[in-house]
Amino acid sequence: MARINGNSALRFALTAILYFVYVISLAVNGRVVPLHPYLNGEEKPISNIFDTSKYGLFQVGNGLANTPQMGWNSWNYFGCKINEKVIRETADALISTGLAKLGYRYVNLDDCWSEVQRDSKGQLVPDSKTFPSGIKALADYVHSKGLKLGIYSDAGAFTCAVRPGSLFHESDDAKSFASWGVDYLKYDNCFNLGIEPEKRYPPMRDALNATGHTIFYSLCEWGVNDPALWADKVGNSWRTTNDINDSWASMTETADINDKWASYAGPGGWNDPDALEVGNGGMTYHEYRAHFSIWALMKSPLLVGCDVRNMTAETFEIISNEEVIAIHLGFKEGKFMHMGLMDAFKFGLARFLSKRMSVVLWNRCSKSGTITAKWGTLGLESSTSVSIKDLWKYEYVSKNSMS
């Protein structure tokens, strides 16, 4: 069995939650289980820890999202206060910091990039004050850096900030996005006229496909109609939750909600519990480290939500951890399991690739504690020998350990 001690202290007067998280990669010398359907069953599982039967089976076939998207999104830090200068400087920062080389390639505009009304021809137009050069010129600049540009619209009459939505304008708007060279669309759920999302989201998929320009399609339906059950044929990712905010309580709740749908995500289509809050100031260093670890283990999109032009060294340390990013890109989506009374402890188990696995030990209570993960609980035979590496300390804490 593996034990990791975590020190903690009171963080919130009401929720009294704090933790230490350790992401542990186990290089297994013996046999490990379970395997995933698309690994072709090279080894048969000795136990079935959780359902993987729907993993990666039905995703929309536009050739995108073999791994979850990585990049930056404007909303969590900037809200509506965006302009082309911020976007250009953000693209520059992704390059200069080395984040782009780690996989952070999408530079995504959120709400408020457009004028408040369509033009006389019924077309979307960029806000002339904040994006005077237009989206095409911005896309060209981002592409010149080797990055990709994302944009935002809404499957409703208006966006959440009451700019024009794309409901009933899907064909025209998709053509505009394609002509501008846009690579990614976040498609929100405000002012939806009470029309079921299963009816509102497919038309934009069809419109995007009809342009002949490949665009990553990110549904932001807030998990209202359980999109994991139907969006795999529609988009490349789907929001499973409402908006996150920059707090431990929100992050924890969001992770819990997303966890329900672990078995429905896979190459081509991913569960999306919203962008990262790391670096925005509402949580401690260790809480942000937990946030990043959990999102990586869940194979959630890693869309940085802070101002990367002015991030702290601690923020950069967290979002640039190459070994945690490797878990995000190379393992299958993890599932959380209860390890203590009243959800005080949990551990997350990421699925196997080659003979490795990753585990997050998550202390969610107000006191320090010991989390014990037994080999059988991890799906390992008692005779299995493992090496355990702490991916935040960048060091092995145990080599060739037995149960």
Side-chain angles (χ1 to χ4, degrees), residues 84-375:
E84 61 182 44
K85 180 175 183 289
V86 166
I87 304 307
R88 288 171 182 257
E89 290 178 351
T90 296
D92 294 342
L94 290 176
I95 298 297
S96 64
T97 59
L99 289 174
K101 289 184 178 180
L102 296 177
Y104 295 96
R105 299 289 176 82
Y106 286 105
V107 182
N108 293 346
L109 310 181
D110 210 280
D111 208 345
C112 304
W113 63 268
S114 75
E115 291 282 7
V116 297
Q117 292 182 332
R118 292 176 178 269
D119 67 12
S120 60
K121 297 180 181 179
Q123 302 298 310
L124 289 174
V125 289
D127 188 311
S128 60
K129 295 180 179 178
T130 52
F131 293 89
S133 302
I135 302 302
K136 177 65 167 64
L138 187 60
D140 289 345
Y141 184 84
V142 170
H143 293 159
S144 74
K145 303 290 182 179
L147 304 173
K148 298 179 181 294
L149 184 73
I151 209 164
Y152 167 98
S153 191
D154 192 286
F158 301 98
T159 71
C160 297
V162 201
R163 309 288 174 113
S166 292
L167 185 64
F168 308 132
H169 294 270
E170 292 88 355
S171 180
D172 283 346
D173 292 352
K175 290 177 182 177
S176 292
F177 301 151
S179 70
W180 296 336
V182 168
D183 305 293
Y184 185 111
L185 173 64
K186 175 183 173 182
Y187 205 40
D188 217 333
N189 195 36
C190 288
F191 297 99
N192 56 48
L193 308 183
I195 302 171
E196 292 297 312
E198 293 93 330
K199 295 181 179 179
R200 287 182 291 110
Y201 282 90
M204 182 56 83
R205 171 204 59 193
D206 297 339
L208 293 173
N209 288 341
T211 68
H213 179 70
T214 304
I215 297 177
F216 190 108
Y217 187 27
S218 174
L219 282 62
C220 185
E221 184 263 7
W222 314 332
V224 175
N225 276 33
D226 297 336
L229 298 177
W230 53 268
D232 50 6
K233 300 180 183 67
V234 181
N236 298 113
S237 66
W238 44 86
R239 277 280 293 278
T240 54
T241 69
N242 210 329
D243 287 1
I244 195 173
N245 65 56
D246 189 17
S247 70
W248 174 255
S250 175
M251 185 278 289
T252 300
E253 179 184 22
T254 299
D256 287 344
I257 294 170
N258 184 74
D259 183 53
K260 176 181 178 181
W261 305 109
S263 64
Y264 290 84
W270 303 98
N271 294 319
D272 176 8
D274 207 358
L276 293 163
E277 290 283 5
V278 178
N280 283 331
M283 288 184 263
T284 67
Y285 165 75
H286 286 103
E287 289 174 337
Y288 280 140
R289 200 170 70 172
H291 179 18
F292 192 74
S293 300
I294 292 162
W295 259 234
L297 181 114
M298 296 193 303
K299 295 192 74 69
S300 307
L302 294 184
L303 296 174
V304 177
C306 68
D307 184 358
V308 295
R309 305 170 305 166
N310 300 296
M311 60 184 162
T312 66
E314 284 189 344
T315 295
F316 179 74
E317 175 197 336
I318 292 170
I319 65 176
S320 65
N321 185 312
E322 294 185 51
E323 296 196 72
V324 177
I325 292 172
I327 298 298
H328 173 256
L329 296 176
F331 282 69
K332 312 307 175 286
E333 181 167 352
K335 178 74 175 176
F336 284 97
M337 303 176 195
H338 301 281
M339 291 295 292
L341 297 176
M342 300 177 64
D343 291 340
F345 299 147
K346 284 190 177 183
F347 81 86
L349 175 65
R351 301 171 181 181
F352 303 89
L353 183 64
S354 185
K355 291 185 176 181
R356 296 182 296 158
M357 63 192 302
S358 62
V359 179
V360 168
L361 302 180
W362 187 6
N363 181 357
R364 297 155 54 112
C365 67
S366 61
K367 298 179 180 179
S368 62
T370 298
I371 305 176
T372 301
K374 297 183 178 180
W375 266 206

